[in-house]
Amino acid sequence: MTPQITPDDILSVQNISKRFDVSEPFLNRVLERRPRRILTAVNDISFDVPRGKTFAVVGESGCGKSTVARLLMGLHTPSGGTIRFEGDDITRMPPGKPAALRRRMQMIFQDPYASLNPRWRVRDIIGEPLKNFGICKNNAEVTREVEKLLSQVGLNPADAKKFPHEFSGGQRQRLSIARALTTRPELLICDEPTSALDVSVQSQILNLMKDLQDEFNMSYIFISHDLAVVWYMADVLAVMYLGKIVEVGPKEEIFGNPQHPYTRLLMETVPKLTVGGSERVPVAGEVPNPISPPSGCAFHPRCPMANDTCRSVAPALNLREGGQKSACHAADEERLKPWLRMAAE
Amino acid sequence: MSNFMPMLYAFWDSDITYSFRKSRVAVISALVLLAIFLTAIFAPSLAPQDPFNIAELDLFDSELPPAWVEGGSAAYLLGTDTQARDVLSSIMYGMRISLLVGFASVILAAVMGVALGLLGGFLGGIVDAVLMRIADVLLSFPPILVALLINGVLRSALPSSAQAESALIVLILSIGLTNWVQYARTVRGSTMVERRKEYIEAARTLGTGKLAIMIKHILPNVLGPVLVIATINLGMAVLTEATLSFLGVGMPPTQPSLGTLIQIGNEFLFSGIWWVVVFPAAVLAILVLAVNLLGDWLRDALNPKLR
Amino acid sequence: MPLLELDNIVVEFPTRRGPLEAVKGLSLDLDEGEILGLVGESGAGKSITGAAITGLIEPPGLIRSGEVRLRGARVDNLPADKMRRIRGKEIGAIFQDPLTSLNPVYTVGEQLIDTMRVHLDLDQKTARQRAIDWLAEVGIPAPEARLDQYPHQFSGGMRQRVVIALALCAEPKLIIADEPTTALDVSVQAQILALLKRLCRENGTAVVLVTHDMGVIAETADRVAVMYAGRLVEIGDVKQVIEEPLHPYTRGLMASIPQIGIRDRRLTQIEGAMPGLRNAAPGCAFAPRCPRAMEHCHSIRPAPQDAGTGQVACHFYGETS
């Protein structure tokens, strides 16, 4: 397939998949005749990330959104498909190599307590990529650059001497951001960067991320389970369910006029900060086990609109009126609109 | 130099030294060990006699009982053996050998075990499977048997003329090669936990190579339990050395360790010369007890759940 | 008489550098059948307050002073075995991780039946039938078959349903629910909250709902108590606290939550972070972050005063209204 990258897209992902072998150990398989078990974390998905914008991926735990981040960074090797960054194929490149290309993409992790080596001082944590990528020539330069980065993320340059445990969760996430900024990346992948933080700190970090995006003209891939945070951060949005993108498109369209029942129901789960309004309708059921996903459309067991087609045939991502794409037979067959209207009432 | 005093204070004030100061058992064990180590190191200048210098031995003084027993001599505090060697001096020199074998074999086992555990835990796959199966095989025999086996193989590989001189090396190798498994399994386990943490993923995305990740990131975070095992293993290694020497496959009588002394003394036990065996045995017991008590304290002090 | 009274409780954790006060003098009342939300950031002392009510503070932590009263009778100074009887019979508990409340080696049915037989004086047969009824009540399909399954055979959401059944089956008058939905998927959270609310309403059970999530509070609670650095800063009816909060901290907190549909360039943010437990500044703990802080806010600690539908601890409120 020819790369469909347009000058406006910084990253283009084509048909990427990731299967994990979660079989039991060899001896158990042979002696107990257990079959191999394959977990399809990401199942043949494609998307483009527009330059200078924020592309958000939302979904519940186990939907494959964190695996997507790790595939893009080269932390996992894809089972199939291609990833192109500015037209260059980076699909099977190890993380960090080749340096010239990999420096241009960086990542912020979810857990501020696990993403910083507890035995290292801040100067060494942030200085590591500066040395690895040969950005600074000598130690004095590293120290100067670390102090500059610390003040850019709102910390004190004197903090360079401290250890991670001397910081609060929000400050640690600032350290993580500073470390990612060392290489002046063009694309920053953020894997649930605020889900471990308290709300009053979350807003500080989200604001900081927006400011830095403007200042350094970065593109973001923003992964989250929190739709309200995504509403604030995203320009383009992809909703994932069991390894598939079920809906993707401009944020305004998806929030304003969702074209997939799962998106609609997911929005329903966001608590409203008003008292005494209408009771929300909870989505029925739970996310199925991704090792044995349901046939056809994976959402059909929880979907109020499911029919026989949904139970047997996997739907394709088709373009809808508003400009987004959604993978839903009900939308294809014009059965979705009446239901959406009803659900809104 | 300017920040040496604050550093010293930070060390004194740290949780681990606080817990040490609060534990009477740990302090006493440490003092006993310190005394034993110093005695061993300075044995040549502290010992009243060089038991291996035949010129210093006076056969008329052989088989003297300890000084406080009737017939004992003040010159030989713990008595003398059948060749007129001062028991106290023999013990001091014997501790040197025992501790040397103990420390060297612990270092050998720890270095080997940590390296293999790191490799297996970090690389996984076939490397890990092979290493762990070897470890399983070693663990399914009593350690003393493995040590005897390695000892036997090494000895038979050496010409008989070289055996006396190489006894020390052979002992260190056989004890070290027996004990690496425990380190390897522990380090492998903690490595598998650490390598899934996000700071390792971060290091990979920041261009840090595999070897650097293993040594600079993972190693410092898995060393805590290694220290505990090493301490407890020091006692084990000294005991294994004593056992091998007692069985006659360790240090020769010309360079006796505590175990050799006990073996020699054992032959005279029934002829009433009890002091030749009782004192080396008592020192060995005190040494191993102190090491184990210190190891127990260290394990508890490093375990955050017990604090 | 209120069902539950906390009277100026101080919870302390002794350390070698002196005691850490996690709760620094907290008073509140709870009526029968009422759902009280206890909110705050991590480290504010909300979970420890919950543990103080159930007598489950981890040693060496202890209630240094103050009283916890259940229907007027002190329960904070009871011996461990008496407290164990009260837990279960009088006070039920639901925790964040359902696996910590369920014993992995007993079937779900055995745990339900045991709890009921200990506290309700039922025979085996009646207890079994009631256990099936409870599983059906919390929305577990095929309850008769699932009664004899082990906790690990249930999914996360189903497990939390079992925990709710277990907490309610001895018919306690009070439930302490500590972050009951935090570990669950967003689409399951709403189901569990709705269930908890319905069952407690039907049985007249009062709930202390400990959470960091204002959305959960807005949806579930009747009254809200907001904690900051070990103290109560505001308590009042849910509508007032959510929609017209009085304390500057609550206001900042509410404003900093992103909301779908509201188009702001920047989120409102509260600068800085909550002070640590060792903070011993004499004034209001929020003063260093407070946009309205006046000089005496840093030196004199504001006492809770009656305001609106409840109380607020703020100098600013007292002087402007």
PDB file of all heavy atoms in Angstrom, chain B residues 138-163:
ATOM      1  N   LEU B 138      21.014 -27.729  40.360  1.00  0.00           N
ATOM      2  CA  LEU B 138      21.909 -27.506  41.504  1.00  0.00           C
ATOM      3  C   LEU B 138      21.133 -27.506  42.814  1.00  0.00           C
ATOM      4  O   LEU B 138      21.601 -28.013  43.825  1.00  0.00           O
ATOM      5  CB  LEU B 138      22.647 -26.177  41.343  1.00  0.00           C
ATOM      6  CG  LEU B 138      23.829 -26.193  40.377  1.00  0.00           C
ATOM      7  CD1 LEU B 138      24.471 -24.823  40.310  1.00  0.00           C
ATOM      8  CD2 LEU B 138      24.865 -27.220  40.837  1.00  0.00           C
ATOM      9  N   LEU B 139      19.936 -26.938  42.781  1.00  0.00           N
ATOM     10  CA  LEU B 139      19.145 -26.826  44.007  1.00  0.00           C
ATOM     11  C   LEU B 139      18.564 -28.161  44.438  1.00  0.00           C
ATOM     12  O   LEU B 139      18.134 -28.312  45.575  1.00  0.00           O
ATOM     13  CB  LEU B 139      18.009 -25.817  43.814  1.00  0.00           C
ATOM     14  CG  LEU B 139      18.372 -24.356  43.998  1.00  0.00           C
ATOM     15  CD1 LEU B 139      17.134 -23.499  43.871  1.00  0.00           C
ATOM     16  CD2 LEU B 139      19.024 -24.134  45.350  1.00  0.00           C
ATOM     17  N   SER B 140      18.514 -29.146  43.525  1.00  0.00           N
ATOM     18  CA  SER B 140      17.887 -30.398  43.903  1.00  0.00           C
ATOM     19  C   SER B 140      18.884 -31.338  44.606  1.00  0.00           C
ATOM     20  O   SER B 140      18.539 -32.443  44.961  1.00  0.00           O
ATOM     21  CB  SER B 140      17.264 -31.075  42.685  1.00  0.00           C
ATOM     22  OG  SER B 140      18.223 -31.204  41.679  1.00  0.00           O
ATOM     23  N   PHE B 141      20.147 -30.869  44.788  1.00  0.00           N
ATOM     24  CA  PHE B 141      21.099 -31.628  45.602  1.00  0.00           C
ATOM     25  C   PHE B 141      21.399 -30.846  46.869  1.00  0.00           C
ATOM     26  O   PHE B 141      21.347 -29.615  46.852  1.00  0.00           O
ATOM     27  CB  PHE B 141      22.419 -31.833  44.848  1.00  0.00           C
ATOM     28  CG  PHE B 141      22.303 -32.715  43.649  1.00  0.00           C
ATOM     29  CD1 PHE B 141      22.169 -32.184  42.387  1.00  0.00           C
ATOM     30  CD2 PHE B 141      22.309 -34.097  43.802  1.00  0.00           C
ATOM     31  CE1 PHE B 141      22.053 -33.006  41.285  1.00  0.00           C
ATOM     32  CE2 PHE B 141      22.195 -34.925  42.690  1.00  0.00           C
ATOM     33  CZ  PHE B 141      22.061 -34.370  41.429  1.00  0.00           C
ATOM     34  N   PRO B 142      21.764 -31.547  47.958  1.00  0.00           N
ATOM     35  CA  PRO B 142      22.210 -30.801  49.135  1.00  0.00           C
ATOM     36  C   PRO B 142      23.476 -30.034  48.772  1.00  0.00           C
ATOM     37  O   PRO B 142      24.346 -30.576  48.069  1.00  0.00           O
ATOM     38  CB  PRO B 142      22.527 -31.895  50.156  1.00  0.00           C
ATOM     39  CG  PRO B 142      21.906 -33.132  49.633  1.00  0.00           C
ATOM     40  CD  PRO B 142      21.771 -32.990  48.162  1.00  0.00           C
ATOM     41  N   PRO B 143      23.596 -28.785  49.195  1.00  0.00           N
ATOM     42  CA  PRO B 143      24.724 -27.943  48.777  1.00  0.00           C
ATOM     43  C   PRO B 143      26.072 -28.583  49.109  1.00  0.00           C
ATOM     44  O   PRO B 143      27.017 -28.476  48.325  1.00  0.00           O
ATOM     45  CB  PRO B 143      24.521 -26.647  49.564  1.00  0.00           C
ATOM     46  CG  PRO B 143      23.260 -26.775  50.310  1.00  0.00           C
ATOM     47  CD  PRO B 143      22.631 -28.070  50.025  1.00  0.00           C
ATOM     48  N   ILE B 144      26.149 -29.274  50.266  1.00  0.00           N
ATOM     49  CA  ILE B 144      27.443 -29.841  50.651  1.00  0.00           C
ATOM     50  C   ILE B 144      27.877 -30.906  49.643  1.00  0.00           C
ATOM     51  O   ILE B 144      29.046 -31.043  49.321  1.00  0.00           O
ATOM     52  CB  ILE B 144      27.388 -30.395  52.090  1.00  0.00           C
ATOM     53  CG1 ILE B 144      28.782 -30.751  52.596  1.00  0.00           C
ATOM     54  CG2 ILE B 144      26.476 -31.597  52.209  1.00  0.00           C
ATOM     55  CD1 ILE B 144      29.621 -29.567  52.908  1.00  0.00           C
ATOM     56  N   LEU B 145      26.867 -31.586  49.085  1.00  0.00           N
ATOM     57  CA  LEU B 145      27.164 -32.623  48.092  1.00  0.00           C
ATOM     58  C   LEU B 145      27.707 -31.991  46.810  1.00  0.00           C
ATOM     59  O   LEU B 145      28.675 -32.467  46.221  1.00  0.00           O
ATOM     60  CB  LEU B 145      25.882 -33.401  47.789  1.00  0.00           C
ATOM     61  CG  LEU B 145      26.057 -34.795  47.222  1.00  0.00           C
ATOM     62  CD1 LEU B 145      26.760 -35.700  48.216  1.00  0.00           C
ATOM     63  CD2 LEU B 145      24.692 -35.377  46.853  1.00  0.00           C
ATOM     64  N   VAL B 146      27.087 -30.884  46.417  1.00  0.00           N
ATOM     65  CA  VAL B 146      27.547 -30.181  45.218  1.00  0.00           C
ATOM     66  C   VAL B 146      28.966 -29.678  45.431  1.00  0.00           C
ATOM     67  O   VAL B 146      29.842 -29.839  44.574  1.00  0.00           O
ATOM     68  CB  VAL B 146      26.599 -29.001  44.892  1.00  0.00           C
ATOM     69  CG1 VAL B 146      27.078 -28.263  43.646  1.00  0.00           C
ATOM     70  CG2 VAL B 146      25.183 -29.488  44.715  1.00  0.00           C
ATOM     71  N   ALA B 147      29.196 -29.105  46.616  1.00  0.00           N
ATOM     72  CA  ALA B 147      30.529 -28.584  46.911  1.00  0.00           C
ATOM     73  C   ALA B 147      31.546 -29.720  46.885  1.00  0.00           C
ATOM     74  O   ALA B 147      32.641 -29.569  46.326  1.00  0.00           O
ATOM     75  CB  ALA B 147      30.524 -27.891  48.268  1.00  0.00           C
ATOM     76  N   LEU B 148      31.186 -30.863  47.464  1.00  0.00           N
ATOM     77  CA  LEU B 148      32.092 -32.025  47.464  1.00  0.00           C
ATOM     78  C   LEU B 148      32.400 -32.466  46.039  1.00  0.00           C
ATOM     79  O   LEU B 148      33.543 -32.769  45.693  1.00  0.00           O
ATOM     80  CB  LEU B 148      31.444 -33.191  48.209  1.00  0.00           C
ATOM     81  CG  LEU B 148      31.704 -33.264  49.718  1.00  0.00           C
ATOM     82  CD1 LEU B 148      30.860 -34.352  50.352  1.00  0.00           C
ATOM     83  CD2 LEU B 148      33.186 -33.521  49.970  1.00  0.00           C
ATOM     84  N   LEU B 149      31.361 -32.449  45.228  1.00  0.00           N
ATOM     85  CA  LEU B 149      31.497 -32.891  43.846  1.00  0.00           C
ATOM     86  C   LEU B 149      32.443 -31.973  43.072  1.00  0.00           C
ATOM     87  O   LEU B 149      33.387 -32.428  42.420  1.00  0.00           O
ATOM     88  CB  LEU B 149      30.103 -32.877  43.202  1.00  0.00           C
ATOM     89  CG  LEU B 149      29.922 -33.759  41.984  1.00  0.00           C
ATOM     90  CD1 LEU B 149      29.871 -35.212  42.400  1.00  0.00           C
ATOM     91  CD2 LEU B 149      28.646 -33.365  41.245  1.00  0.00           C
ATOM     92  N   ILE B 150      32.168 -30.662  43.171  1.00  0.00           N
ATOM     93  CA  ILE B 150      33.024 -29.701  42.458  1.00  0.00           C
ATOM     94  C   ILE B 150      34.450 -29.804  42.983  1.00  0.00           C
ATOM     95  O   ILE B 150      35.427 -29.824  42.220  1.00  0.00           O
ATOM     96  CB  ILE B 150      32.478 -28.263  42.641  1.00  0.00           C
ATOM     97  CG1 ILE B 150      31.065 -28.165  42.066  1.00  0.00           C
ATOM     98  CG2 ILE B 150      33.400 -27.244  41.969  1.00  0.00           C
ATOM     99  CD1 ILE B 150      30.403 -26.842  42.309  1.00  0.00           C
ATOM    100  N   ASN B 151      34.549 -29.903  44.305  1.00  0.00           N
ATOM    101  CA  ASN B 151      35.844 -30.053  44.943  1.00  0.00           C
ATOM    102  C   ASN B 151      36.590 -31.264  44.376  1.00  0.00           C
ATOM    103  O   ASN B 151      37.762 -31.175  43.990  1.00  0.00           O
ATOM    104  CB  ASN B 151      35.596 -30.219  46.450  1.00  0.00           C
ATOM    105  CG  ASN B 151      36.845 -29.972  47.259  1.00  0.00           C
ATOM    106  OD1 ASN B 151      37.917 -29.834  46.682  1.00  0.00           O
ATOM    107  ND2 ASN B 151      36.725 -29.916  48.552  1.00  0.00           N
ATOM    108  N   GLY B 152      35.871 -32.393  44.310  1.00  0.00           N
ATOM    109  CA  GLY B 152      36.487 -33.624  43.812  1.00  0.00           C
ATOM    110  C   GLY B 152      36.963 -33.469  42.378  1.00  0.00           C
ATOM    111  O   GLY B 152      38.084 -33.846  42.034  1.00  0.00           O
ATOM    112  N   VAL B 153      36.116 -32.877  41.544  1.00  0.00           N
ATOM    113  CA  VAL B 153      36.469 -32.706  40.131  1.00  0.00           C
ATOM    114  C   VAL B 153      37.707 -31.820  40.001  1.00  0.00           C
ATOM    115  O   VAL B 153      38.654 -32.155  39.287  1.00  0.00           O
ATOM    116  CB  VAL B 153      35.281 -32.098  39.352  1.00  0.00           C
ATOM    117  CG1 VAL B 153      35.711 -31.713  37.951  1.00  0.00           C
ATOM    118  CG2 VAL B 153      34.117 -33.071  39.319  1.00  0.00           C
ATOM    119  N   LEU B 154      37.705 -30.700  40.731  1.00  0.00           N
ATOM    120  CA  LEU B 154      38.832 -29.770  40.634  1.00  0.00           C
ATOM    121  C   LEU B 154      40.122 -30.424  41.115  1.00  0.00           C
ATOM    122  O   LEU B 154      41.180 -30.274  40.509  1.00  0.00           O
ATOM    123  CB  LEU B 154      38.548 -28.507  41.451  1.00  0.00           C
ATOM    124  CG  LEU B 154      37.510 -27.547  40.873  1.00  0.00           C
ATOM    125  CD1 LEU B 154      37.265 -26.407  41.836  1.00  0.00           C
ATOM    126  CD2 LEU B 154      37.983 -27.002  39.529  1.00  0.00           C
ATOM    127  N   ARG B 155      40.018 -31.174  42.220  1.00  0.00           N
ATOM    128  CA  ARG B 155      41.210 -31.812  42.777  1.00  0.00           C
ATOM    129  C   ARG B 155      41.783 -32.845  41.813  1.00  0.00           C
ATOM    130  O   ARG B 155      42.994 -32.908  41.609  1.00  0.00           O
ATOM    131  CB  ARG B 155      40.870 -32.512  44.091  1.00  0.00           C
ATOM    132  CG  ARG B 155      40.913 -31.579  45.263  1.00  0.00           C
ATOM    133  CD  ARG B 155      40.310 -32.263  46.478  1.00  0.00           C
ATOM    134  NE  ARG B 155      40.527 -31.425  47.627  1.00  0.00           N
ATOM    135  CZ  ARG B 155      41.506 -31.605  48.493  1.00  0.00           C
ATOM    136  NH1 ARG B 155      42.335 -32.613  48.356  1.00  0.00           N
ATOM    137  NH2 ARG B 155      41.657 -30.781  49.494  1.00  0.00           N
ATOM    138  N   SER B 156      40.886 -33.635  41.222  1.00  0.00           N
ATOM    139  CA  SER B 156      41.398 -34.687  40.342  1.00  0.00           C
ATOM    140  C   SER B 156      41.992 -34.092  39.069  1.00  0.00           C
ATOM    141  O   SER B 156      42.791 -34.720  38.392  1.00  0.00           O
ATOM    142  CB  SER B 156      40.290 -35.687  40.005  1.00  0.00           C
ATOM    143  OG  SER B 156      39.246 -35.002  39.360  1.00  0.00           O
ATOM    144  N   ALA B 157      41.591 -32.845  38.758  1.00  0.00           N
ATOM    145  CA  ALA B 157      42.152 -32.210  37.576  1.00  0.00           C
ATOM    146  C   ALA B 157      43.549 -31.671  37.837  1.00  0.00           C
ATOM    147  O   ALA B 157      44.287 -31.369  36.909  1.00  0.00           O
ATOM    148  CB  ALA B 157      41.230 -31.080  37.113  1.00  0.00           C
ATOM    149  N   LEU B 158      43.883 -31.517  39.119  1.00  0.00           N
ATOM    150  CA  LEU B 158      45.182 -30.935  39.459  1.00  0.00           C
ATOM    151  C   LEU B 158      46.211 -32.038  39.722  1.00  0.00           C
ATOM    152  O   LEU B 158      45.860 -33.089  40.240  1.00  0.00           O
ATOM    153  CB  LEU B 158      45.049 -30.080  40.729  1.00  0.00           C
ATOM    154  CG  LEU B 158      44.327 -28.747  40.584  1.00  0.00           C
ATOM    155  CD1 LEU B 158      44.001 -28.194  41.959  1.00  0.00           C
ATOM    156  CD2 LEU B 158      45.177 -27.773  39.798  1.00  0.00           C
ATOM    157  N   PRO B 159      47.473 -31.777  39.378  1.00  0.00           N
ATOM    158  CA  PRO B 159      48.519 -32.750  39.742  1.00  0.00           C
ATOM    159  C   PRO B 159      48.658 -32.810  41.262  1.00  0.00           C
ATOM    160  O   PRO B 159      48.449 -31.808  41.947  1.00  0.00           O
ATOM    161  CB  PRO B 159      49.777 -32.172  39.086  1.00  0.00           C
ATOM    162  CG  PRO B 159      49.480 -30.734  38.868  1.00  0.00           C
ATOM    163  CD  PRO B 159      47.996 -30.629  38.654  1.00  0.00           C
ATOM    164  N   SER B 160      48.982 -33.953  41.811  1.00  0.00           N
ATOM    165  CA  SER B 160      48.983 -34.124  43.257  1.00  0.00           C
ATOM    166  C   SER B 160      49.999 -33.203  43.930  1.00  0.00           C
ATOM    167  O   SER B 160      49.822 -32.803  45.071  1.00  0.00           O
ATOM    168  CB  SER B 160      49.267 -35.585  43.620  1.00  0.00           C
ATOM    169  OG  SER B 160      50.495 -35.947  43.041  1.00  0.00           O
ATOM    170  N   SER B 161      51.039 -32.831  43.190  1.00  0.00           N
ATOM    171  CA  SER B 161      52.043 -31.963  43.802  1.00  0.00           C
ATOM    172  C   SER B 161      51.484 -30.569  44.080  1.00  0.00           C
ATOM    173  O   SER B 161      51.877 -29.910  45.036  1.00  0.00           O
ATOM    174  CB  SER B 161      53.255 -31.853  42.864  1.00  0.00           C
ATOM    175  OG  SER B 161      52.826 -31.316  41.630  1.00  0.00           O
ATOM    176  N   ALA B 162      50.547 -30.143  43.237  1.00  0.00           N
ATOM    177  CA  ALA B 162      50.034 -28.778  43.374  1.00  0.00           C
ATOM    178  C   ALA B 162      48.861 -28.692  44.339  1.00  0.00           C
ATOM    179  O   ALA B 162      48.360 -27.619  44.609  1.00  0.00           O
ATOM    180  CB  ALA B 162      49.620 -28.247  42.003  1.00  0.00           C
ATOM    181  N   GLN B 163      48.422 -29.838  44.844  1.00  0.00           N
ATOM    182  CA  GLN B 163      47.170 -29.831  45.602  1.00  0.00           C
ATOM    183  C   GLN B 163      47.239 -29.034  46.891  1.00  0.00           C
ATOM    184  O   GLN B 163      46.302 -28.325  47.237  1.00  0.00           O
ATOM    185  CB  GLN B 163      46.725 -31.264  45.870  1.00  0.00           C
ATOM    186  CG  GLN B 163      46.135 -31.884  44.633  1.00  0.00           C
ATOM    187  CD  GLN B 163      45.330 -33.107  44.941  1.00  0.00           C
ATOM    188  OE1 GLN B 163      45.318 -33.579  46.070  1.00  0.00           O
ATOM    189  NE2 GLN B 163      44.663 -33.619  43.937  1.00  0.00           N
TER     190      GLN B 163
END
